Amino acid sequence: MNMIQKVSNRLISASYAYASTIRRSNFRPFCSQQQPALPLLPLAFSKLNTSANKNQYYHHHCHHRSSSSSSSTSSTPTDNNPSITSKSDTYYIPKPNLTNTANNVINIQNRVKIIPTDDGIIHVLLSRPTKLNSLDMPMFEAIADAASRLKNDPTLNKNMRVILLSGEGRAFCTGLDAKSVTLSGPTKNLDKLLERPSEFGGEDGLGNLAQDVCYLWRGLPVPVITCLHGMCFGGGLQVALGADMRFSTPDCRFSIMESRWGLIPDMGASLTLRELVRIDVAKELTMTGRIVDGLEAEKIGLVTRCVDDPMEEAMKVAKEIIERSPDSVAATKELFQSTWVADEDTCLKKETDLQMKLIATWNQVAASGRQFGVNLPYFRRSRDFS
């Protein structure tokens, strides 16, 4: 079966499915019910824009989503970074909007909290505030475990639309907790961090544990947005770079600090930095370990933009995203991440392959309907993009 025949068959199937919806809504389409025509669906949308019809459709097809609540606490500076200071009376603490939620917070090793909400936005909170969310072994495992659960646990990902990743307390993450990792068995911990693949990446995993805390976010079929404040150093910065977008306070401080310890950034920075900054900038920041603030980070491309309240901005963008088809959002992420540094042939083929999966599906039709004033609900994300 050639490409044109495949598209034609999918158009016909989608048209019949939509005609069935029209009949349940007691509306007669402009075309024959025996041979519905997809090009006329926008006209049908305009006739369906009544509260009675939409309520009937929601009653039969909407899925209610569960959610949860959490609170943030203040913290004191980590004893592993005595030189790190912050004005305790002025620092920004992100405050997730978790109203109308139930008590189903998932707490992983008392290091990371997964907080589903009632609109498909999932908050992932680094929760080691007394140590500025620095990375000890339980934190490494908890972050990778959280990303793995969000990809593989159907109770979490079936209605998942956007993930917001933030840090509790005065900083997003200050990088490796060298004291804890060293005192708890350096040889054993080093082997666990560097063994490839890690237990969290699955059978086809590419990264080790140190890399998967950053890399696994890239494999999720939804946008991941990090909300950055306070400090974002070393491994913490690499975790943030694994997200799709980064919103930061202007005074947040960033550094690729590994050179200060005679090391290189080995948690996925070779993948993420090349997508964001020029190679000379990446070399300068890495070789010097220089600290930059949020404004400079925005200028050179490390962060998407600087705002006074990153969580508020992230929620705003997340709500805009969930108005779009979950399939097209997932396909967009897959498209750019698989082609950003690929050759032209690969890029063009990938566009066609993904578009073929989207054309004439219910979610594509529903997205089109919203352009005509009909707010039809989306179905769950297709298995093609899970």
Side-chain angles (χ1 to χ4, degrees):
M1 183 180 296
N2 61 35
M3 183 180 298
I4 295 177
Q5 289 174 318
K6 289 181 180 179
V7 173
S8 177
N9 288 344
R10 293 182 72 174
L11 288 171
I12 293 171
S13 297
S15 298
Y16 273 108
Y18 193 72
S20 175
T21 301
I22 292 173
R23 287 196 295 272
R24 287 197 298 272
S25 300
N26 298 319
F27 171 74
R28 299 293 177 181
F30 298 106
C31 52
S32 167
Q33 289 187 359
Q34 284 70 40
Q35 294 181 332
L38 191 66
L40 292 180
L41 291 182
L43 298 176
F45 283 135
S46 64
K47 299 297 183 181
L48 275 173
N49 194 16
T50 65
S51 58
N53 287 337
K54 286 190 287 185
N55 288 339
Q56 181 180 356
Y57 188 89
Y58 271 80
H59 175 72
H60 287 291
H61 293 280
C62 282
H63 301 281
H64 297 287
R65 294 185 278 261
S66 63
S67 53
S68 61
S69 62
S70 176
S71 60
S72 61
T73 60
S74 60
S75 63
T76 58
T78 170
D79 56 7
N80 300 318
N81 296 288
S83 63
I84 295 174
T85 59
S86 181
K87 296 180 180 180
S88 60
D89 58 337
T90 61
Y91 59 78
Y92 165 84
I93 297 180
K95 297 179 180 179
N97 181 10
L98 301 175
T99 57
N100 300 319
T101 58
N103 294 320
N104 60 343
V105 175
I106 300 171
N107 191 326
I108 305 177
Q109 299 196 46
N110 291 320
R111 292 294 188 272
V112 174
K113 297 174 184 176
I114 299 176
I115 312 168
T117 66
D118 55 4
D119 50 10
I121 299 173
I122 294 183
H123 294 259
V124 177
L125 187 66
L126 306 186
S127 185
R128 196 186 180 214
T130 59
K131 300 295 183 180
L132 298 177
N133 299 315
S134 56
L135 300 167
D136 62 355
M137 292 305 296
M139 180 66 95
F140 273 109
E141 294 170 349
I143 295 174
D145 190 7
S148 178
R149 292 193 198 194
L150 290 168
K151 183 176 179 62
N152 300 307
D153 186 344
T155 62
L156 286 172
N157 65 32
K158 64 182 179 180
N159 292 316
M160 180 174 68
R161 296 299 312 275
V162 181
I163 294 170
L164 305 185
L165 177 61
S166 63
E168 185 176 5
R170 296 195 291 119
F172 174 73
C173 176
T174 53
L176 180 68
D177 185 341
K179 179 179 179 181
S180 174
V181 172
T182 301
L183 292 180
S184 60
T187 302
K188 176 188 68 175
N189 290 337
L190 186 62
D191 289 343
K192 188 165 188 177
L193 286 171
L194 300 183
E195 182 182 0
R196 179 179 287 103
S198 81
E199 62 182 292
F200 301 102
E203 295 180 356
D204 300 325
L206 298 176
N208 55 42
L209 176 57
Q211 293 163 337
D212 276 351
V213 298
C214 314
Y215 182 71
L216 292 183
W217 301 109
R218 295 166 61 89
L220 297 177
V222 299
V224 179
I225 305 173
T226 49
C227 305
L228 307 173
H229 72 289
M231 290 152 280
C232 190
F233 293 157
L237 175 55
Q238 292 183 76
V239 172
L241 294 178
D244 300 288
M245 304 168 212
R246 285 155 295 282
F247 299 139
S248 168
T249 57
D251 59 353
C252 182
R253 294 188 290 166
F254 299 85
S255 177
I256 304 172
M257 279 193 166
E258 283 76 6
S259 65
R260 300 189 180 199
W261 302 94
L263 300 171
I264 62 168
D266 65 337
M267 295 168 59
S270 57
L271 289 175
T272 54
L273 282 175
R274 69 183 182 183
E275 298 171 350
L276 300 172
V277 303
R278 300 194 317 260
I279 188 172
D280 59 326
V281 173
K283 289 177 179 178
E284 185 261 332
L285 291 176
T286 304
M287 293 175 181
T288 64
R290 183 168 65 88
I291 295 175
V292 301
D293 63 17
L295 294 175
E296 184 176 355
E298 179 185 31
K299 182 178 179 180
I300 62 180
L302 283 180
V303 302
T304 308
R305 56 179 169 266
C306 282
V307 291
D308 291 333
D309 190 333
M311 182 61 68
E312 181 181 11
E313 183 72 7
M315 284 295 297
K316 177 183 175 182
V317 172
K319 289 178 179 179
E320 292 178 357
I321 290 172
I322 63 178
E323 290 299 314
R324 308 294 177 241
S325 161
D327 294 339
S328 68
V329 170
T332 298
K333 179 170 179 174
E334 181 179 344
L335 172 64
F336 289 127
Q337 292 201 170
S338 63
T339 63
W340 203 252
V341 293
D343 61 86
E344 294 178 356
D345 183 60
T346 299
C347 294
L348 297 177
K349 285 181 178 178
K350 190 67 173 182
E351 287 182 2
T352 301
D353 291 344
L354 291 173
Q355 198 77 302
M356 288 291 295
K357 294 178 181 179
L358 295 171
I359 290 175
T361 59
W362 171 261
N363 283 341
Q364 191 261 317
V365 173
S368 300
R370 295 187 179 207
Q371 306 309 305
F372 293 88
V374 181
N375 191 26
L376 294 175
Y378 294 117
F379 285 170
R380 292 174 182 171
R381 187 175 52 257
S382 168
R383 289 193 179 100
D384 289 336
F385 305 107
S386 297

